[in-house]
Amino acid sequence: MNKSDILADGLWHNNTIFAQLLGMCPLLGVTTSAENGFWMGAATVLVLIGSNLVVSLVRNVIPKNVRIPAYITIIAAFVTIVGMAMNAWMHEMYLILGLFIPLIVVNCAILGRAEAFASKNGVADAVTDALAVGLGFTFALVLLGGVRELLGQGSLFGFSVFGESYPDVLMFILPPGAFIALGFILAGINLINRRLASRAATAQQTTTPTPQEAA
Amino acid sequence: MVIALFVVATIAAVLLGLTDIVTREPIAAAQKAALHQALRQVLPAHANDPQHDQIVLAAENASPADAGTVIYPARDKNNHLVGLAWEVVAPDGYSGSIRILVGVRPDGRVFAIRVTRHQETPGLGDGIVKNDNWLRSFVDQTLTSKRWKVKKDGGDFDQFTGATITPRAVVKAVKSALQFFNAQKAAIVARLAAAPTTQPANTAGGAHE
């Protein structure tokens, strides 16, 4: 698989949130603001890179029947390291994200990448995949956090957008708002994908069909 | 098989140990800095280092697990006690317990309160952090100057639109803090008089600035 395919897959076509609908717990839990979403995403990127890197390195050493506990141990170690580092150098954000940092361990998207990709590919590809999937996840968290913050509190990244008189719309700050906003975002993504597909189809009809068409 | 798992776990344990060594001091420093900033907000202007001068007041017939209440005294440059602060926990917040730093003057009036840790709903219950007017409604109050309940319960403190449980928990906790102070005042003052102090602040107070 070449690198640009891996990147496009993780960022868009197979986006953890928008295509696979994995990792809903941190997504719905921390996205009350764009900034919280960003830092949660950043922590997840670090864990993903670490776990994909190590899993890829040891992929031929770990016996098949104990691979899952081994992967979980590796992931848990990285999550704990990231948590300690945040506690030390980003104390305030650590307090805000709180319980969701240790819960990165059980984000199935991370074990999913270890099992489905890193355990079968070389180190360079595994790290590229971690970066793509992690950034795709961060993009989703920031987008949803941004929408909820904008509609709920009238601000973006803490800066007021609609002015002081904007009444807080509690619905979007509370969990139901997360589901509603996510639903609309998914609808928008599907719409974009359908447009792209139909444009690609018409483009193919006008030009002469190529042998790679089936691919 | 077992050996592979053992090796993975051992390496993970070593890495975590190393990270702990590296981060232990920054974490302690970050916590101390956060507390320092909170104390500056709940205590009158002072010349000492309240964290350095802290005393621990053990509760009566406390279990060994109960570490007692840590009290941070504030003194002016003439070494007069101008305020005291300690942390109380409201166990009945909307989501989990709320930790509140309560600062009082020696005569029992509230100087200021500040929530140091909470998990209340953003936009609803987190008014206990963001709503300055509400926080100011505690200033200068004593146990007898207000009815220590939210208005919905027949008291003098506002609840928030859509959030009653959170302010109710905080009001209750601050009330219990004042009751604690009234009951223990003599003991606290006696302990503080006996405790060594940092004078002036530049001996220890400036070190972690």
PDB file of all heavy atoms in Angstrom, chain A residues 24-44:
ATOM      1  N   MET A  24     -16.678   6.310  19.916  1.00  0.00           N
ATOM      2  CA  MET A  24     -17.772   7.237  20.237  1.00  0.00           C
ATOM      3  C   MET A  24     -17.670   7.789  21.663  1.00  0.00           C
ATOM      4  O   MET A  24     -18.092   8.914  21.933  1.00  0.00           O
ATOM      5  CB  MET A  24     -19.125   6.519  20.097  1.00  0.00           C
ATOM      6  CG  MET A  24     -19.555   6.270  18.671  1.00  0.00           C
ATOM      7  SD  MET A  24     -19.932   7.796  17.835  1.00  0.00           S
ATOM      8  CE  MET A  24     -18.740   7.744  16.532  1.00  0.00           C
ATOM      9  N   CYS A  25     -17.102   6.985  22.576  1.00  0.00           N
ATOM     10  CA  CYS A  25     -17.078   7.412  23.977  1.00  0.00           C
ATOM     11  C   CYS A  25     -16.291   8.707  24.171  1.00  0.00           C
ATOM     12  O   CYS A  25     -16.834   9.689  24.661  1.00  0.00           O
ATOM     13  CB  CYS A  25     -16.569   6.280  24.860  1.00  0.00           C
ATOM     14  SG  CYS A  25     -16.031   6.797  26.477  1.00  0.00           S
ATOM     15  N   PRO A  26     -15.006   8.762  23.750  1.00  0.00           N
ATOM     16  CA  PRO A  26     -14.307  10.043  23.884  1.00  0.00           C
ATOM     17  C   PRO A  26     -14.935  11.119  23.006  1.00  0.00           C
ATOM     18  O   PRO A  26     -14.992  12.287  23.387  1.00  0.00           O
ATOM     19  CB  PRO A  26     -12.876   9.734  23.440  1.00  0.00           C
ATOM     20  CG  PRO A  26     -12.953   8.460  22.708  1.00  0.00           C
ATOM     21  CD  PRO A  26     -14.117   7.706  23.260  1.00  0.00           C
ATOM     22  N   LEU A  27     -15.435  10.716  21.829  1.00  0.00           N
ATOM     23  CA  LEU A  27     -16.009  11.708  20.914  1.00  0.00           C
ATOM     24  C   LEU A  27     -17.150  12.464  21.589  1.00  0.00           C
ATOM     25  O   LEU A  27     -17.183  13.693  21.605  1.00  0.00           O
ATOM     26  CB  LEU A  27     -16.524  11.016  19.647  1.00  0.00           C
ATOM     27  CG  LEU A  27     -17.181  11.988  18.655  1.00  0.00           C
ATOM     28  CD1 LEU A  27     -16.116  12.690  17.853  1.00  0.00           C
ATOM     29  CD2 LEU A  27     -18.158  11.303  17.754  1.00  0.00           C
ATOM     30  N   LEU A  28     -18.085  11.721  22.155  1.00  0.00           N
ATOM     31  CA  LEU A  28     -19.254  12.380  22.739  1.00  0.00           C
ATOM     32  C   LEU A  28     -18.919  12.978  24.102  1.00  0.00           C
ATOM     33  O   LEU A  28     -19.511  13.961  24.516  1.00  0.00           O
ATOM     34  CB  LEU A  28     -20.405  11.376  22.859  1.00  0.00           C
ATOM     35  CG  LEU A  28     -20.822  10.786  21.502  1.00  0.00           C
ATOM     36  CD1 LEU A  28     -21.816   9.660  21.701  1.00  0.00           C
ATOM     37  CD2 LEU A  28     -21.409  11.855  20.614  1.00  0.00           C
ATOM     38  N   GLY A  29     -17.947  12.395  24.777  1.00  0.00           N
ATOM     39  CA  GLY A  29     -17.641  12.843  26.130  1.00  0.00           C
ATOM     40  C   GLY A  29     -16.910  14.171  26.202  1.00  0.00           C
ATOM     41  O   GLY A  29     -17.251  15.014  27.014  1.00  0.00           O
ATOM     42  N   VAL A  30     -15.908  14.368  25.355  1.00  0.00           N
ATOM     43  CA  VAL A  30     -15.049  15.550  25.546  1.00  0.00           C
ATOM     44  C   VAL A  30     -15.321  16.684  24.572  1.00  0.00           C
ATOM     45  O   VAL A  30     -14.734  17.752  24.703  1.00  0.00           O
ATOM     46  CB  VAL A  30     -13.550  15.201  25.453  1.00  0.00           C
ATOM     47  CG1 VAL A  30     -13.194  14.132  26.444  1.00  0.00           C
ATOM     48  CG2 VAL A  30     -13.158  14.791  24.062  1.00  0.00           C
ATOM     49  N   THR A  31     -16.203  16.480  23.579  1.00  0.00           N
ATOM     50  CA  THR A  31     -16.309  17.504  22.541  1.00  0.00           C
ATOM     51  C   THR A  31     -17.259  18.634  22.915  1.00  0.00           C
ATOM     52  O   THR A  31     -18.022  19.096  22.086  1.00  0.00           O
ATOM     53  CB  THR A  31     -16.767  16.902  21.201  1.00  0.00           C
ATOM     54  OG1 THR A  31     -18.013  16.213  21.437  1.00  0.00           O
ATOM     55  CG2 THR A  31     -15.760  15.959  20.648  1.00  0.00           C
ATOM     56  N   THR A  32     -17.211  19.106  24.163  1.00  0.00           N
ATOM     57  CA  THR A  32     -18.031  20.263  24.499  1.00  0.00           C
ATOM     58  C   THR A  32     -17.402  21.541  23.959  1.00  0.00           C
ATOM     59  O   THR A  32     -18.057  22.561  23.875  1.00  0.00           O
ATOM     60  CB  THR A  32     -18.217  20.388  26.012  1.00  0.00           C
ATOM     61  OG1 THR A  32     -16.936  20.249  26.623  1.00  0.00           O
ATOM     62  CG2 THR A  32     -19.128  19.302  26.538  1.00  0.00           C
ATOM     63  N   SER A  33     -16.126  21.496  23.599  1.00  0.00           N
ATOM     64  CA  SER A  33     -15.508  22.664  22.978  1.00  0.00           C
ATOM     65  C   SER A  33     -14.440  22.193  22.000  1.00  0.00           C
ATOM     66  O   SER A  33     -13.949  21.069  22.095  1.00  0.00           O
ATOM     67  CB  SER A  33     -14.883  23.585  24.028  1.00  0.00           C
ATOM     68  OG  SER A  33     -13.682  23.026  24.506  1.00  0.00           O
ATOM     69  N   ALA A  34     -14.097  23.066  21.065  1.00  0.00           N
ATOM     70  CA  ALA A  34     -13.115  22.713  20.041  1.00  0.00           C
ATOM     71  C   ALA A  34     -11.758  22.427  20.676  1.00  0.00           C
ATOM     72  O   ALA A  34     -11.050  21.510  20.271  1.00  0.00           O
ATOM     73  CB  ALA A  34     -13.005  23.844  19.017  1.00  0.00           C
ATOM     74  N   GLU A  35     -11.405  23.197  21.709  1.00  0.00           N
ATOM     75  CA  GLU A  35     -10.089  23.028  22.320  1.00  0.00           C
ATOM     76  C   GLU A  35      -9.976  21.676  23.021  1.00  0.00           C
ATOM     77  O   GLU A  35      -8.976  20.967  22.876  1.00  0.00           O
ATOM     78  CB  GLU A  35      -9.816  24.164  23.318  1.00  0.00           C
ATOM     79  CG  GLU A  35      -8.364  24.230  23.696  1.00  0.00           C
ATOM     80  CD  GLU A  35      -8.077  25.202  24.821  1.00  0.00           C
ATOM     81  OE1 GLU A  35      -9.027  25.819  25.342  1.00  0.00           O
ATOM     82  OE2 GLU A  35      -6.911  25.316  25.185  1.00  0.00           O
ATOM     83  N   ASN A  36     -11.016  21.292  23.774  1.00  0.00           N
ATOM     84  CA  ASN A  36     -10.996  19.979  24.425  1.00  0.00           C
ATOM     85  C   ASN A  36     -10.853  18.878  23.386  1.00  0.00           C
ATOM     86  O   ASN A  36     -10.095  17.922  23.578  1.00  0.00           O
ATOM     87  CB  ASN A  36     -12.287  19.745  25.215  1.00  0.00           C
ATOM     88  CG  ASN A  36     -12.410  20.659  26.410  1.00  0.00           C
ATOM     89  OD1 ASN A  36     -11.528  21.473  26.658  1.00  0.00           O
ATOM     90  ND2 ASN A  36     -13.496  20.540  27.135  1.00  0.00           N
ATOM     91  N   GLY A  37     -11.600  19.014  22.277  1.00  0.00           N
ATOM     92  CA  GLY A  37     -11.518  18.016  21.208  1.00  0.00           C
ATOM     93  C   GLY A  37     -10.113  17.933  20.657  1.00  0.00           C
ATOM     94  O   GLY A  37      -9.578  16.846  20.448  1.00  0.00           O
ATOM     95  N   PHE A  38      -9.486  19.091  20.469  1.00  0.00           N
ATOM     96  CA  PHE A  38      -8.138  19.112  19.907  1.00  0.00           C
ATOM     97  C   PHE A  38      -7.148  18.380  20.800  1.00  0.00           C
ATOM     98  O   PHE A  38      -6.374  17.542  20.340  1.00  0.00           O
ATOM     99  CB  PHE A  38      -7.672  20.556  19.686  1.00  0.00           C
ATOM    100  CG  PHE A  38      -6.253  20.644  19.183  1.00  0.00           C
ATOM    101  CD1 PHE A  38      -5.980  20.438  17.840  1.00  0.00           C
ATOM    102  CD2 PHE A  38      -5.208  20.892  20.048  1.00  0.00           C
ATOM    103  CE1 PHE A  38      -4.681  20.490  17.377  1.00  0.00           C
ATOM    104  CE2 PHE A  38      -3.901  20.940  19.592  1.00  0.00           C
ATOM    105  CZ  PHE A  38      -3.639  20.743  18.244  1.00  0.00           C
ATOM    106  N   TRP A  39      -7.166  18.674  22.096  1.00  0.00           N
ATOM    107  CA  TRP A  39      -6.157  18.062  22.970  1.00  0.00           C
ATOM    108  C   TRP A  39      -6.417  16.590  23.183  1.00  0.00           C
ATOM    109  O   TRP A  39      -5.482  15.793  23.312  1.00  0.00           O
ATOM    110  CB  TRP A  39      -6.065  18.818  24.300  1.00  0.00           C
ATOM    111  CG  TRP A  39      -5.386  20.137  24.096  1.00  0.00           C
ATOM    112  CD1 TRP A  39      -5.939  21.372  24.195  1.00  0.00           C
ATOM    113  CD2 TRP A  39      -4.024  20.346  23.683  1.00  0.00           C
ATOM    114  NE1 TRP A  39      -5.021  22.336  23.870  1.00  0.00           N
ATOM    115  CE2 TRP A  39      -3.837  21.732  23.556  1.00  0.00           C
ATOM    116  CE3 TRP A  39      -2.968  19.486  23.399  1.00  0.00           C
ATOM    117  CZ2 TRP A  39      -2.615  22.286  23.168  1.00  0.00           C
ATOM    118  CZ3 TRP A  39      -1.758  20.039  23.012  1.00  0.00           C
ATOM    119  CH2 TRP A  39      -1.586  21.422  22.907  1.00  0.00           C
ATOM    120  N   MET A  40      -7.695  16.194  23.200  1.00  0.00           N
ATOM    121  CA  MET A  40      -8.001  14.773  23.274  1.00  0.00           C
ATOM    122  C   MET A  40      -7.467  14.078  22.024  1.00  0.00           C
ATOM    123  O   MET A  40      -6.868  13.001  22.105  1.00  0.00           O
ATOM    124  CB  MET A  40      -9.521  14.588  23.372  1.00  0.00           C
ATOM    125  CG  MET A  40      -9.951  13.173  23.535  1.00  0.00           C
ATOM    126  SD  MET A  40      -9.419  12.542  25.145  1.00  0.00           S
ATOM    127  CE  MET A  40      -9.653  10.812  24.862  1.00  0.00           C
ATOM    128  N   GLY A  41      -7.660  14.717  20.868  1.00  0.00           N
ATOM    129  CA  GLY A  41      -7.156  14.163  19.620  1.00  0.00           C
ATOM    130  C   GLY A  41      -5.638  14.063  19.637  1.00  0.00           C
ATOM    131  O   GLY A  41      -5.065  13.049  19.242  1.00  0.00           O
ATOM    132  N   ALA A  42      -4.975  15.110  20.148  1.00  0.00           N
ATOM    133  CA  ALA A  42      -3.514  15.107  20.194  1.00  0.00           C
ATOM    134  C   ALA A  42      -3.004  13.962  21.066  1.00  0.00           C
ATOM    135  O   ALA A  42      -2.057  13.257  20.694  1.00  0.00           O
ATOM    136  CB  ALA A  42      -3.007  16.449  20.728  1.00  0.00           C
ATOM    137  N   ALA A  43      -3.656  13.754  22.220  1.00  0.00           N
ATOM    138  CA  ALA A  43      -3.242  12.655  23.094  1.00  0.00           C
ATOM    139  C   ALA A  43      -3.422  11.321  22.380  1.00  0.00           C
ATOM    140  O   ALA A  43      -2.565  10.432  22.464  1.00  0.00           O
ATOM    141  CB  ALA A  43      -4.053  12.671  24.393  1.00  0.00           C
ATOM    142  N   THR A  44      -4.534  11.186  21.646  1.00  0.00           N
ATOM    143  CA  THR A  44      -4.793   9.941  20.926  1.00  0.00           C
ATOM    144  C   THR A  44      -3.761   9.715  19.824  1.00  0.00           C
ATOM    145  O   THR A  44      -3.300   8.593  19.611  1.00  0.00           O
ATOM    146  CB  THR A  44      -6.211   9.958  20.328  1.00  0.00           C
ATOM    147  OG1 THR A  44      -7.132  10.329  21.358  1.00  0.00           O
ATOM    148  CG2 THR A  44      -6.604   8.603  19.793  1.00  0.00           C
TER     149      THR A  44
END
